[in-house]
Amino acid sequence: MKEIRKLPASAGAQWLLDTFSLYRRAPLQLARIGLTWLVVSWVVTLLSTLIPGAAGLAVQLMTLAISPVMFGGMLYAMGEIDEGRPGLASHLLQPIRDHRVSHLLVPLAIQVLAVLLLGVLLFLMIGREGFAAFSEVMTKMEQISRSGQQISPEDAANLVANLPAKRIALWLFLVFVTAVGLSLAMFTQPALVVFDKQSGMHALRLSLQGCIENIVAMTVFAVLGLIAAFCGYILFVIVIQIAMLIGGPLAAAFIAQLALTTVVMPLYVGAVYAAWKQMFVHRGNRAAPPVPATPPQNDVFHA
């Protein structure tokens, strides 16, 4: 088993700094890789709409598998850039060459299984009567919305009076816990599969264990990442509005997808790569970076 390194809280901030540093080293290469990812996704989606019958359904299922494989390929390219070598669009196929595809698809299968189990659990918790009451409430809410009437707090309370609110709240809490657990398990899983050649399930367990043991650093990373995402979102909205004025909705949609695949996705992949490098003492050609020094007491990220 790979040893998991215990990191200080400031490591979460360091992952963000490292991903921006990696992106600045090869922005055009990463943009080219992201653009290739976008084109491949478009082609497969187009084929799924053009091919009828079972073959079309198979292509639609293939669209679900593209993102995990491309994510692993971009991770590999990020490692090449970190080693001083160029990141190539052909690196997107590296998981296929290394026979890592099935392991990268394990999180997708786990997500599908989790959704099915949560759906069954909801049915067991609220039963047919609960589903019927919920459907009735949604129908009445839709009718009120169409009529344009304002619903009073008393009317809203009467609408939901027959719902098993406590059981639904408990189910929503379980959904939240499951989502958090899956997010932690999937965070460094692709890197463990691509670089450390771990099996899909073992990589999920290692990622979950590593994130839990470094939960403070993960929290710092999440908080700072949300702040950075909010700042980026403001710029993103401005760019989209300009594109909307100049080229219309199609141009705005194209610019939005282009920004997501050439900027946002490489930055996130870089953060995963940085977290994997620091969190796991791995073997191979890529030497593990030193554990960040414990910050002084006045460090704002010190936990």
Side-chain angles (χ1 to χ4, degrees):
M1 181 184 298
K2 305 264 183 213
E3 180 182 355
I4 299 172
R5 310 173 89 182
K6 182 67 175 178
L7 303 172
S10 58
Q14 188 63 46
W15 301 341
L16 285 176
L17 295 176
D18 289 346
T19 188
F20 281 107
S21 177
L22 278 172
Y23 188 85
R24 284 196 302 267
R25 287 168 59 179
L28 294 180
Q29 295 176 22
L30 291 171
R32 187 162 52 246
I33 294 171
L35 183 60
T36 304
W37 183 344
L38 180 61
V39 170
V40 171
S41 299
W42 280 351
V43 170
V44 175
T45 302
L46 179 62
L47 288 176
S48 68
T49 60
L50 295 178
I51 301 176
L57 179 61
V59 176
Q60 289 180 12
L61 294 176
M62 189 186 302
T63 60
L64 298 176
I66 286 179
S67 292
V69 176
M70 295 293 176
F71 192 97
M74 186 174 282
L75 262 172
Y76 185 88
M78 196 68 70
E80 293 296 288
I81 293 172
D82 187 37
E83 290 290 306
R85 295 184 288 271
L88 306 175
S90 61
H91 288 152
L92 291 174
L93 300 178
Q94 193 65 36
I96 299 176
R97 290 190 286 264
D98 291 341
H99 308 288
R100 299 280 89 197
V101 173
S102 60
H103 301 288
L104 289 172
L105 295 180
V106 167
L108 179 61
I110 296 297
Q111 290 179 75
V112 173
L113 180 61
V115 170
L116 293 176
L117 291 177
L118 287 171
V120 172
L121 179 62
L122 178 61
F123 181 80
L124 294 175
M125 292 178 67
I126 68 176
R128 294 181 182 273
E129 297 79 5
F131 272 105
F134 184 77
S135 177
E136 183 179 355
V137 168
M138 293 303 296
T139 301
K140 291 181 179 179
M141 292 292 290
E142 185 178 356
Q143 293 174 351
I144 294 173
S145 176
R146 288 179 178 176
S147 65
Q149 298 177 357
Q150 294 293 331
I151 184 171
S152 65
E154 293 79 9
D155 293 336
N158 292 331
L159 279 176
V160 300
N162 295 327
L163 291 178
K166 292 183 179 180
R167 282 174 284 174
I168 292 177
L170 175 60
W171 181 79
L172 290 174
F173 173 75
L174 294 175
V175 170
F176 173 77
V177 172
T178 302
V180 171
L182 286 176
S183 298
L184 296 178
M186 293 187 299
F187 183 55
T188 58
Q189 192 266 359
L192 288 164
V193 167
V194 171
F195 297 120
D196 290 345
K197 309 303 181 188
Q198 297 287 345
S199 66
M201 287 300 298
H202 191 208
L204 276 175
R205 188 176 65 80
L206 278 177
S207 178
L208 178 61
Q209 183 181 352
C211 290
I212 290 176
E213 291 189 13
N214 291 284
I215 193 63
V216 180
M218 286 294 301
T219 303
V220 171
F221 170 75
V223 172
L224 294 182
L226 287 175
I227 295 174
F230 178 75
C231 296
Y233 177 74
I234 296 175
L235 178 61
F236 178 77
V237 170
I238 294 174
V239 172
I240 293 302
Q241 290 300 319
I242 294 174
M244 181 80 72
L245 292 174
I246 295 176
L250 288 179
F254 173 74
I255 294 298
Q257 292 191 18
L258 193 65
L260 287 174
T261 54
T262 61
V263 179
V264 178
M265 187 55 68
L267 287 175
Y268 179 73
V269 171
V272 172
Y273 176 78
W276 164 77
K277 279 192 69 176
Q278 287 194 349
M279 197 180 298
F280 296 93
V281 179
H282 52 281
R283 303 179 181 89
N285 295 328
R286 293 178 174 86
V291 177
T294 302
Q297 295 298 321
N298 60 355
D299 192 328
V300 294
F301 302 117
H302 177 65

